[in-house]
């Protein structure tokens, strides 16, 4: 899922996302709550209409942003009090209020409020945090039930498995969330600075505990070469800012590895960015032109680069799906793992 933090995938119009056949994107509850406000978006017909996006939208719980962006946050059993990173105003997120915000946005897949810890966290702290995340998840689902019975909810609600980097806590959290019989389950609290083998290990422990017939979603991952690794461990959904953020910084993912477009070697390079790619950028422009746009600080660069990186991610996921259908995922994994990963 491409990330559209502020109700836009930066630099890319919805029409172009449809051309890439993006089926779902992620928007951030925290950001849209603070600006322009979920009630304003509701009054304008909901997030789909507001941003002119006809396909699915997943909204996060706001928890991760509160824990990573805002100052002076205070966690209680009721919820989390935090200060806006925009103007310092104090706000309270509860399991009920973050769900109400997501309902107001008209989200298709909503996430239950969770506590996301920094890495490293002690086992004791992570254990307490899991208990809180479980209480919040139960509260969110009870609230969801009430609003669903009143006919006020169209979207689905996923809980989030936490537990930091401790297998026993991940197992406990997953087991305790299963009775919610959610339509899908997320694995959160990864990609927060821990070594990558540890992220994979936590997913390897957690994913098999979650229902096979429902989506399993790992939040906030990953690099292109990691996507097949997560899928091989049972993951169906991922979101990440890397393809879009790295694109704007001039880091482009190609079938031949990474291209850092500012490098002088691309100055007069007439080849397309990725000869194997059929995206608009690769069909029409040379590396030399892209480098020129980047060096000149032209805004078109962000659009063309993001378009390509998203296409690269979607191509990888398409290849993975294809290999699953053909029953050749092990061979695909073998081939991907044999390619050295650039620094
Ligand atoms: Zn391309």
């Amino acid at each position: 899922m491409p990330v559209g933090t502020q109700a836009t995938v930066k630099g890319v119009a919805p029409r172009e996302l449809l051309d890439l056949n993006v089926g779902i994107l992620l928007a951030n509850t925290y950001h849209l709550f603070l600006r322009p406000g979920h009630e304003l978006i509701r009054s304008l017909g909901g997030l789909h209409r507001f941003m002119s996006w006809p396909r699915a939208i997943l909204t996060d719980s706001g928890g991760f942003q509160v824990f990573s962006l805002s100052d002076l946050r205070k966690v209680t059993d009721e919820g989390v009090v935090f200060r806006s990173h925009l103007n310092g105003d104090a706000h309270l997120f509860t399991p009920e209020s973050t769900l109400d915000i997501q309902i107001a946005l008209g989200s298709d897949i909503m996430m239950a409020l969770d506590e996301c810890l920094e890495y490293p966290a002690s086992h004791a702290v992570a254990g307490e945090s899991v208990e809180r995340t479980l209480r919040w998840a139960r509260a969110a689902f009870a609230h969801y039930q009430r609003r669903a019975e009143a006919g006020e909810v169209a979207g689905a609600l996923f809980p989030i498995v936490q537990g930091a980097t401790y297998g026993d806590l991940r197992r406990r959290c997953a087991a305790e969330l299963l009775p919610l019989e959610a339509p899908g389950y997320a694995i959160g609290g990864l990609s927060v600075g821990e070594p990558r083998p540890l992220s994979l290990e936590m997913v390897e422990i957690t994913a098999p505990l979650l229902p096979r017939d429902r989506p399993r979603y790992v939040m906030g991952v990953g690099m292109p070469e990691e996507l097949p690794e997560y899928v091989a461990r049972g993951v169906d959904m991922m979101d990440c800012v890397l393809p879009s953020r790295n694109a704007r910084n001039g880091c482009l993912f190609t079938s031949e590895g990474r291209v850092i477009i500012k490098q002088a070697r691309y100055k007069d390079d007439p080849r397309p960015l990725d000869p194997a790619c059929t995206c608009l950028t690769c069909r029409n422009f040379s590396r030399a032109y892209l480098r020129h746009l980047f060096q000149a600080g032209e805004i078109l660069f962000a659009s063309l680069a993001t378009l390509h990186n998203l296409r690269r991610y979607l191509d990888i996921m398409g290849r993975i799906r294809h290999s699953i259908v053909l029953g050749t995922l092990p061979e695909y994994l073998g081939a991907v793992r044999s390619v050295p990963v650039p620094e």
Side-chain angles (χ1 to χ4, degrees):
M1 293 180 285
V3 174
T5 300
Q6 310 269 14
T8 168
V9 177
K10 293 186 199 306
V12 186
R15 176 71 251 169
E16 296 169 314
L17 295 173
L18 290 174
D19 286 345
L20 289 174
N21 206 19
V22 170
I24 177 169
L25 52 78
L26 180 144
N28 286 119
T29 297
Y30 169 90
H31 289 280
L32 297 176
F33 163 77
L34 291 179
R35 181 178 59 192
H38 56 290
E39 287 301 344
L40 180 132
I41 291 175
R42 188 214 305 261
S43 73
L44 292 170
L47 188 53
H48 292 80
R49 181 175 293 182
F50 187 57
M51 65 184 290
S52 193
W53 175 245
R55 295 188 179 164
I57 298 174
L58 182 148
T59 46
D60 62 0
S61 72
F64 178 78
Q65 266 74 30
V66 165
F67 291 102
S68 61
L69 284 180
S70 72
D71 295 330
L72 295 169
R73 56 180 187 263
K74 185 167 184 288
V75 181
T76 67
D77 280 346
E78 189 193 358
V80 50
V81 179
F82 63 96
R83 286 195 184 277
S84 158
H85 74 288
L86 296 175
N87 60 13
D89 285 356
H91 300 281
L92 169 69
F93 270 176
T94 68
E96 293 83 5
S97 76
T98 53
L99 181 59
D100 287 337
I101 295 165
Q102 295 177 78
I103 292 171
L105 294 173
S107 170
D108 298 290
I109 301 179
M110 305 175 281
M111 306 302 302
L113 183 64
D114 61 325
E115 184 177 17
C116 188
L117 296 177
E118 287 166 6
Y119 175 83
S122 73
H123 190 276
V125 167
E128 270 180 46
S129 175
V130 161
E131 295 308 317
R132 189 174 296 118
T133 292
L134 287 171
R135 283 195 297 275
W136 287 355
R138 292 181 194 116
F141 272 77
H143 189 60
Y144 178 89
Q145 197 66 37
R146 285 191 292 274
R147 295 212 52 186
E149 279 162 15
E152 297 166 345
V153 189
L157 177 63
F158 289 11
I160 303 172
V161 179
Q162 288 288 350
T165 49
Y166 301 102
D168 63 317
L169 296 179
R170 291 272 168 191
R171 281 188 201 95
R172 168 166 169 71
C173 195
E176 292 287 326
L177 290 174
L178 288 180
L180 294 173
E181 295 187 18
Y185 285 82
I187 302 172
L190 295 175
S191 229
V192 292
E194 78 281 6
R196 201 42 36 106
L198 204 48
S199 332
L200 289 171
E201 187 192 329
M202 289 303 115
V203 170
E204 195 163 323
I205 289 171
T206 310
L209 303 173
L210 303 173
R212 289 177 66 92
D213 59 346
R214 298 174 208 184
R216 301 160 177 163
Y217 163 32
V218 175
M219 310 183 78
V221 298
M223 293 300 279
E225 62 275 7
E226 292 164 358
L227 304 181
E229 298 295 340
Y230 284 109
V231 174
R233 287 160 177 79
V235 173
D236 304 291
M237 302 168 64
M238 292 167 265
D239 75 278
C240 197
V241 294
L242 276 177
S244 42
R245 181 181 293 160
N246 282 18
R248 297 194 300 280
N249 295 330
C251 173
L252 300 160
F253 300 111
T254 78
S255 57
E256 297 165 350
R258 269 160 241 186
V259 167
I260 308 301
I261 200 68
K262 72 177 178 194
Q263 290 176 352
R265 62 169 135 163
Y266 302 121
K267 187 177 162 195
D268 55 0
D269 191 336
R271 289 174 296 165
L273 174 58
D274 185 346
C277 178
T278 58
C279 82
L280 177 120
T281 305
C282 294
R283 274 187 285 121
N284 289 286
F285 305 102
S286 64
R287 294 175 177 186
Y289 180 66
L290 293 173
R291 179 176 186 274
H292 160 68
L293 291 181
F294 182 77
Q295 295 296 86
E298 284 294 328
I299 54 176
L300 180 60
F301 177 79
S303 291
L304 296 179
T306 306
L307 209 60
H308 166 77
N309 271 2
L310 290 178
R311 176 58 174 267
R312 174 73 188 141
Y313 267 61
L314 294 167
D315 275 355
I316 292 170
M317 294 309 293
R319 279 168 212 274
I320 296 171
R321 272 195 295 275
H322 192 64
S323 73
I324 290 172
V325 169
L326 293 179
T328 56
L329 183 64
E331 290 83 350
Y332 177 81
L333 274 172
V336 172
R337 285 171 180 159
S338 67
V339 178
V341 176
E343 283 307 309

